[in-house]
Amino acid sequence: MSVLTRNEAQTRAQLLDVHRYTVDLDLTTGEATFDSTTAIRFTARTAGDTFVEIKPETLRSLSLDGQPLDPERLDGNRYPLDSLTAGPHELTVAATMRYSRTGEGMHRFTDPADGETYVYTQLFMEDVQRVFAAFDQPDLKSVFDLTVTTPTGWTVLGNGVSTQAADGRWHIAPTPPISTYLVAVAAGPWHSVTTQHAGLPFGIHCRRSLAPHLDADADEILDITRACYDRYHEKFDEPYPFDSYDQAFVPEFNAGAMENPGLVTFRDEFVYRSAVTDTERQTRAMVVAHEMAHMWFGDLVTLTWWDDIWLNESFAEYMGYQTLTEATRFTDTWTDFGVARKGWGYDADQRPSTHPVAPDPDAVPDTASALLNFDGISYAKGASALRQLVAWLGEKDFLAGINTHFSRHKFANATLADFIDNLATATDRDVHTWADAWLRTTGVDTLTAHVETSGHSWNLTVDRAGDRPHRVTVGTYDHSLDTHTGTDQLTLRDRFDIDIPQDGTPVTQPGHRPDLVVLNDHDLTYAKIRLDPGSWDTALTHLSGIPDPLTRALVWNTARDMVRDGELHPTVHLTAARTHLPYETDLALVQGVLGFAATQIADRYLPPQDRPTALATLTSLCRDLLRRTEGLTAKDWEQAPGTTTPGSPDPGLRLIAVRHFIDAATQPDAIQDWLREGTVPGGPELDAELRWRIFTRLAVLGATDETAIAHELDKDPSATGQEGAARCRAALPTAEAKAAAWQAMFTDDTLSNYLFTATAQGFWQPGQSELLHPYVARYYPDAIALAARRGPAIAEAAGRHAFPAHAVDPDSIRLGEQALTDPALTPALRRKLTDQLDDLRRALAVRDAH
């Protein structure tokens, strides 16, 4: 199959105007394939040659302006259109297409809970070609007019309002001009909750087996949707540009969500079938806000080529967090961003595969290379850059520039240059120079504070390792005695803004030296922070006493960065977590810090002989959290989300503690007792997620077997149950279990994307290194062959989840480096292996540093 190059796209865009696609999909032809018929009306500006893309099972027929064409001329995914005459044309293509089991193209899923079948499209980048013929590039926008034939009893959702023309025959209202990758169809016996808002139909949808869980959260999801919709209309001059707003929670979805206009698709793990924390609810709300922002930035105005993907994702990431903070009860979203998302950007930006937020066009020559840039840089770093831009520019001027951008390019395409030019119309500041410094460069700056006392004042200077300008807030804090509790606290003395680089003159402040000086106190810039030695000592001993959770998040990120850079012993971080998390009130911080301590410090950064001690520390910490949350009643567990009384035990905090206690268990007795009783003493009762979590840990410890796993699957035969069972079976510490899991992942080629991921997650366990050692060498050739056979989605899963991440040793790194020289390596897997090997080197360096 040929990937589209930037040069080819530019040439085709100069030749063609595409007006309308009329697409007819028949989903009643069998379980393996469906029929697709497409008529494309377009105009050739001049005479010339071009091609149309399609990836059929069988190409049945084609005609151009009524004249038949030879299907045998299909070359891979391209059909040549030679000697086009100038003027209007109509191309008709009829094909049989194959359903996907990897979340690409038209994905088909049969729910094991009730036998019902659902299909949905994910057409991003090049996957529209798996569903219908198209001139597949983002700057050839067109109207799309779809008709879908389905089995009786199904409902069809699409980019516009859908109506049933006859039994099983559905017509979706034609779209405004949109890009090919944004077309969406979802069909099946959906459970739907519908309403009206601002004169438009709104709906949320899921498969029937999840109906009770969607109904339980429908008010929350719709309230957030309405609040974000209204807030965007306060920010943006252009009204919402489509005729309806549906949100479909679909099975086995690869991404978090996809911004199809009028029909956003989400992974249906966001329909919570088990207990979740309020931070997890906030994450779902943020994804709702993020995808809605795309309706303007991405759908109304679309990138011209994939080098500008950050224009879509960074904007939606920034706007999602900011709008959620402004319009909903989730007012601390930037704390979650700091602890859960920003590290994603920092990590990606320090690997060999780093790239600018806005890469040079030559760095994205084709769609295969473009697909690699959907990472922490395009999302988290880009959003951080926009947050810094707003701090520097002011929100009023920022929004004025954004609205100019929408007005000038609505229903069309735009580039980075267009975006910056439009921002420049709203300000006297040099936005172009700012963009060069922030968007065209790679790496993370480091800002280091130096504090000196001078008479009755103190001086602050900041060293900058890097070249970007920064506008940051400095927070100063002093020790104080809480007269109510008798404990030593930190109290905010002052906050002030400074620009970095400084002009060479230290910032002088009156009074004695503060006990804690925090650079970037509001976390408005993107940089690693290093505190002065006195402040660092205060932070380590009084971190839980810092009054603002966003400041605490920044200090925890500093500790995280120092561990990764070999400047702080991992056990010091673990001790700080053990000391301060029992007093932490922000769930995102508890969740994030515990996650880093468990998956990075205990599992990778500490040598194997120190891991049991680290797990014991985590277990002890979780016991403290459980003691802190004693006294919860059944009513507390049933209360509405976000209604915890300040100072009272938080069910979410207890849930986090229970999860991590299970994952850190080195002996099976306690969690077996929980499983036997069906509850944790003092709550919560074990729901499906907690039961499978316990079974996974028991499998790792060799304290369960196939019979018990099968019995649990009989109790929970859902899709999530199938994944839980696959994870458990792969985690069993026997040669037979490992061989069976490896065969399923790398030989059979029958696992769906989700079952592949679950199997991979169970397979590699840091406590099973001797049993797993032979598979480290097998991984590289088997993963390379698998990626070539099964495509980018499975390649991504193989590189992310099936990689031997716990094999922190020179031999594993050497094997990986040899694999990178294999010419058969696909771009998607090459990027993942490059990143994973760099993480192994970093983990090895951390171990060697101490």
Side-chain angles (χ1 to χ4, degrees):
M1 296 292 177
S2 299
V3 297
L4 183 68
T5 70
R6 181 191 184 97
N7 290 337
E8 288 172 329
Q10 289 175 335
T11 298
R12 189 162 60 178
Q14 291 167 0
L15 177 65
L16 301 183
D17 281 321
V18 185
H19 309 301
R20 191 180 194 90
Y21 288 78
T22 303
V23 181
D24 196 316
L25 303 175
D26 188 346
L27 308 181
T28 65
T29 60
E31 296 183 0
T33 62
F34 61 97
D35 285 350
S36 168
T37 302
T38 307
I40 312 174
R41 289 169 46 200
F42 64 97
T43 297
R45 295 192 184 96
T46 63
D49 300 334
T50 191
F51 56 90
V52 69
E53 290 109 324
I54 189 170
K55 297 177 181 177
E57 179 75 4
T58 304
L59 184 57
R60 298 198 307 271
S61 66
L62 304 92
S63 65
L64 180 65
D65 303 328
Q67 299 300 310
L69 303 175
D70 181 6
E72 295 299 320
R73 295 193 65 207
L74 180 67
D75 183 9
N77 62 323
R78 295 184 176 186
Y79 191 91
L81 299 176
D82 301 330
S83 303
L84 281 176
T85 58
H89 297 279
E90 182 167 320
L91 175 69
T92 301
V93 182
T96 299
M97 313 297 285
R98 180 162 290 277
Y99 288 114
S100 164
R101 290 290 285 122
T102 60
E104 302 158 294
M106 181 77 80
H107 186 82
R108 182 182 175 96
F109 169 86
T110 298
D111 192 340
D114 58 14
E116 297 283 9
T117 295
Y118 302 83
V119 302
Y120 64 86
T121 57
Q122 171 66 347
L123 305 188
F124 188 74
M125 194 66 75
E126 297 180 323
D127 286 336
V128 68
Q129 304 164 36
R130 296 171 179 259
V131 177
F132 58 86
F135 297 113
D136 191 13
Q137 59 190 72
D139 58 341
L140 287 178
K141 285 189 166 184
S142 179
V143 172
F144 289 85
D145 187 350
L146 272 69
T147 301
V148 185
T149 301
T150 71
T152 301
W154 283 21
T155 300
V156 171
L157 310 170
N159 298 108
V161 173
S162 61
T163 54
Q164 190 169 15
D167 191 24
R169 184 84 170 157
W170 295 78
H171 181 245
I172 302 169
T175 67
I178 62 173
S179 299
T180 50
Y181 77 91
L182 294 170
V183 176
V185 172
W190 301 108
H191 171 73
S192 300
V193 179
T194 60
T195 187
Q196 293 272 329
H197 183 67
L200 295 178
F202 279 32
I204 53 176
H205 315 268
C206 71
R207 48 193 162 105
R208 284 180 178 173
S209 65
L210 296 179
H213 309 293
L214 184 68
D215 288 347
D217 281 356
D219 288 345
E220 178 182 334
I221 295 169
L222 289 171
D223 284 348
I224 289 164
T225 303
R226 287 186 286 255
C228 291
Y229 182 93
D230 292 344
R231 185 63 179 143
Y232 285 136
H233 278 83
E234 294 170 0
K235 290 175 177 285
F236 304 151
D237 295 339
E238 290 292 330
Y240 174 73
F242 306 104
D243 72 357
S244 54
Y245 198 77
D246 285 300
Q247 298 173 100
F249 297 87
V250 299
E252 298 185 328
F253 197 66
N254 284 324
M258 178 64 197
E259 67 269 20
N260 314 301
L263 177 59
V264 178
T265 42
F266 297 80
R267 57 172 54 217
D268 65 10
E269 289 98 320
F270 283 130
V271 179
Y272 300 128
R273 63 193 292 264
S274 294
V276 293
T277 69
D278 210 42
T279 297
E280 288 165 314
R281 291 183 178 278
Q282 177 179 281
T283 297
R284 178 175 66 187
M286 192 286 296
V287 177
V288 169
H290 174 115
E291 301 306 326
M292 188 179 287
H294 273 309
M295 298 298 119
W296 286 265
F297 224 116
D299 297 358
L300 178 67
V301 180
T302 310
L303 45 74
T304 299
W305 180 247
W306 301 108
D307 56 316
D308 282 330
I309 190 60
W310 80 277
L311 282 172
N312 283 13
E313 299 305 342
S314 300
F315 180 88
E317 185 90 344
Y318 167 77
M319 198 60 69
Y321 278 98
Q322 184 63 28
T323 301
L324 205 64
T325 297
E326 296 169 355
T328 74
R329 69 179 177 86
F330 297 111
T331 56
D332 291 325
T333 60
W334 286 112
T335 300
D336 184 48
F337 178 82
V339 75
R341 300 289 277 185
K342 215 163 185 181
W344 181 33
Y346 289 147
D347 294 355
D349 213 9
Q350 296 175 82
R351 295 184 178 123
S353 62
T354 186
H355 58 88
V357 172
D360 186 275
D362 292 339
V364 190
D366 54 41
T367 51
S369 58
L371 191 60
L372 307 180
N373 287 347
F374 287 83
D375 57 14
I377 295 172
S378 294
Y379 285 78
K381 180 181 179 179
S384 299
L386 289 178
R387 196 166 188 231
Q388 172 67 184
L389 175 62
V390 173
W392 178 70
L393 199 62
E395 186 176 44
K396 180 180 178 182
D397 288 350
F398 176 74
L399 289 177
I402 291 297
N403 280 310
T404 298
H405 189 68
F406 293 157
S407 176
R408 288 179 174 177
H409 303 285
K410 60 183 177 182
F411 296 116
N413 300 82
T415 64
L416 169 62
D418 296 323
F419 176 70
I420 299 302
D421 286 347
N422 291 325
L423 284 179
T425 64
T427 180
D428 293 331
R429 288 183 176 268
D430 188 352
V431 182
H432 292 85
T433 298
W434 182 93
D436 287 340
W438 272 91
L439 305 179
R440 295 296 195 189
T441 58
T442 62
V444 186
D445 288 3
T446 300
L447 307 180
T448 301
H450 300 279
V451 178
E452 295 180 352
T453 300
S454 177
H456 297 291
S457 63
W458 61 277
N459 299 326
L460 170 68
T461 57
V462 181
D463 288 341
R464 176 187 60 162
D467 300 315
R468 299 187 187 101
H470 300 266
R471 184 162 184 80
V472 301
T473 299
V474 178
T476 61
Y477 299 82
D478 294 317
H479 290 300
S480 64
L481 184 67
D482 187 323
T483 56
H484 180 67
T485 63
T487 58
D488 188 12
Q489 301 290 316
L490 289 170
T491 302
L492 177 67
R493 180 199 295 187
D494 191 20
R495 283 194 176 110
F496 54 90
D497 294 335
I498 63 172
D499 289 310
I500 302 170
Q502 296 167 275
D503 61 7
T505 304
V507 177
T508 300
Q509 294 289 301
H512 63 84
R513 182 207 189 287
D515 294 307
L516 175 64
V517 178
V518 180
L519 295 178
N520 194 28
D521 193 36
H522 282 149
D523 203 20
L524 294 177
T525 199
Y526 173 85
K528 293 195 288 188
I529 302 300
R530 295 294 183 263
L531 307 182
D532 68 276
S535 293
W536 182 240
D537 289 343
T538 298
L540 279 179
T541 54
H542 291 80
L543 207 161
S544 55
I546 297 173
D548 188 339
L550 188 55
T551 307
R552 297 197 298 275
L554 184 134
V555 174
W556 277 117
N557 271 349
T558 296
R560 176 189 186 276
D561 290 335
M562 291 173 69
V563 170
R564 284 173 43 81
D565 292 344
E567 300 172 17
L568 183 71
H569 197 288
T571 57
V572 176
H573 186 288
L574 201 56
T575 300
R578 176 72 183 84
T579 302
H580 295 292
L581 286 191
Y583 306 99
E584 180 55 61
T585 57
D586 189 281
L587 295 188
L589 275 172
V590 176
Q591 202 161 285
V593 174
L594 265 177
F596 178 73
T599 62
Q600 298 301 314
I601 290 178
D603 288 357
R604 303 189 76 181
Y605 291 158
L606 289 174
Q609 63 269 22
D610 293 344
R611 187 168 182 269
T613 301
L615 293 179
T617 300
L618 290 172
T619 300
S620 180
L621 167 55
C622 291
R623 284 199 180 99
D624 278 355
L625 292 173
L626 289 172
R627 281 192 288 268
R628 174 179 157 189
T629 54
E630 287 175 347
L632 288 164
T633 66
K635 186 177 180 180
D636 292 324
W637 287 103
E638 295 169 359
Q639 67 186 349
T643 59
T644 301
T645 303
S648 65
D650 189 331
L653 181 62
R654 189 171 182 84
L655 181 60
I656 293 170
V658 166
R659 289 171 176 172
H660 281 276
F661 185 93
I662 293 168
D663 294 346
T666 56
Q667 299 297 323
D669 299 353
I671 58 177
Q672 281 178 326
D673 287 344
W674 293 359
L675 196 62
R676 191 177 304 110
E677 297 298 325
T679 186
V680 178
E685 294 185 2
L686 298 187
D687 54 28
E689 190 273 334
L690 289 176
R691 291 186 65 84
W692 282 116
R693 186 178 288 263
I694 291 174
F695 264 99
T696 300
R697 191 62 191 162
L698 292 176
V700 172
L701 297 173
T704 191
D705 56 22
E706 168 58 34
T707 300
I709 294 168
H711 182 65
E712 187 67 18
L713 184 58
D714 287 340
K715 295 180 181 178
D716 178 20
S718 68
T720 307
Q722 299 281 348
E723 294 157 29
R727 192 176 294 110
C728 290
R729 286 165 175 151
L732 290 168
T734 67
E736 296 77 11
K738 298 302 182 186
W742 197 263
Q743 171 83 6
M745 286 190 291
F746 290 105
T747 303
D748 287 351
D749 289 356
T750 57
L751 291 182
S752 71
N753 48 343
Y754 271 41
L755 286 174
F756 180 96
T757 294
T759 304
Q761 289 169 336
F763 186 87
W764 296 106
Q765 298 294 334
Q768 299 174 350
S769 57
E770 185 175 341
L771 180 63
L772 294 170
H773 179 72
Y775 290 97
V776 175
R778 290 182 61 181
Y779 168 77
Y780 294 101
D782 287 3
I784 290 169
L786 178 75
R789 291 195 312 273
R790 300 201 67 190
I794 293 296
E796 163 74 14
R800 181 185 300 273
H801 301 291
F803 182 83
H806 304 119
V808 183
D809 61 73
D811 286 344
S812 178
I813 295 170
R814 177 181 52 79
L815 288 168
E817 290 171 342
Q818 290 175 352
L820 291 179
T821 67
D822 192 327
L825 198 58
T826 64
L829 185 59
R830 179 181 296 279
R831 169 64 68 86
K832 293 306 301 180
L833 293 186
T834 298
D835 290 348
Q836 293 277 29
L837 288 168
D838 189 64
D839 288 351
L840 282 186
R841 292 188 203 97
R842 183 179 290 271
L844 191 60
V846 169
R847 291 183 182 182
D848 290 345
H850 306 291

